[in-house]
Amino acid sequence: MTVWEVVAVCAAGMAAGAINAIVGSGSLITFPTLVAVGIDPVVANVSNNIGLVPGSFAGAYGYRAELKGQRERLVRLGTASALGSVIGGVLLLYLDPSVFKVVVPVLIAVACVLVVAQPKLNGWLSARREHAHPHGGVELWLGVLAAGVYGGYFGAAQGVLLIGLLGSFLDEDLQRVNAAKNVLSLIVNGCAAVLFIAVARVDWWAVLAVAVGSMVGGFVGARIGRRIPAPVLRGIIVCVGVVAIVKLMYG
């Protein structure tokens, strides 16, 4: 990458780190940016996943106050996230790369729809929380496992999926749900990163640029990200997602 491409990827990482701390759609910023600077889509996905780990840690740390009292729950659900992440990562590495190029535009489109639909989703969750199981039950564990598979394979908007699942099955306010989402996303990204470092082709310059940006963005997002107007944030994410779909489908 050229110097300016590194700067662009770093800036995208910063935006992604902030977005991930707030809602969880940051890969819709970084992944298209990496593809746009000429990195192979599968390598871009792998490098993006590894680079976002520091940002995921920063976002989770920033919500540490909301994590109090959730340790046992997160240990239980974290096993599902870790297992799902490894399954998704193996699928990414061992399925034919052409499958990834066909599936990912669909996944990005689904992720964009989830981002747009989140306000209505939150309203549905509020009504459902009245009957939530105190520990989420087996249904939540399986749902988190499936979200982990998705996150290990691609990951864009996995945070939206997790917020929907946790908010549906837990009797918690949205900020505590978001804090738990950040920890589970960190587990998914971290486990997939270990797998990718061991056996996949990685662009380490891309990893470094995304990592530096995402760490700064994660801290900023956790501190002041709630002040960003939600419609503006959703609009940016969807626009980037559409660009990514066009880039992947038409080059």
Side-chain angles (χ1 to χ4, degrees), residues 66-87:
E66 288 83 2
L67 289 172
K68 291 180 179 178
Q70 299 200 66
R71 182 173 182 175
E72 181 181 350
R73 169 189 297 158
L74 290 173
V75 169
R76 187 176 303 175
L77 295 177
T79 60
S81 289
L83 178 59
S85 174
V86 172
I87 294 171

Side-chain angles (χ1 to χ4, degrees), residues 28-29 108 111-113 115-116 232-245:
L28 289 179
I29 302 291
I108 293 175
C112 290
V113 171
V115 170
V116 172
V232 173
L233 185 61
R234 290 189 182 92
I236 293 172
I237 292 170
V238 170
C239 287
V240 172
V242 170
V243 170
I245 293 171

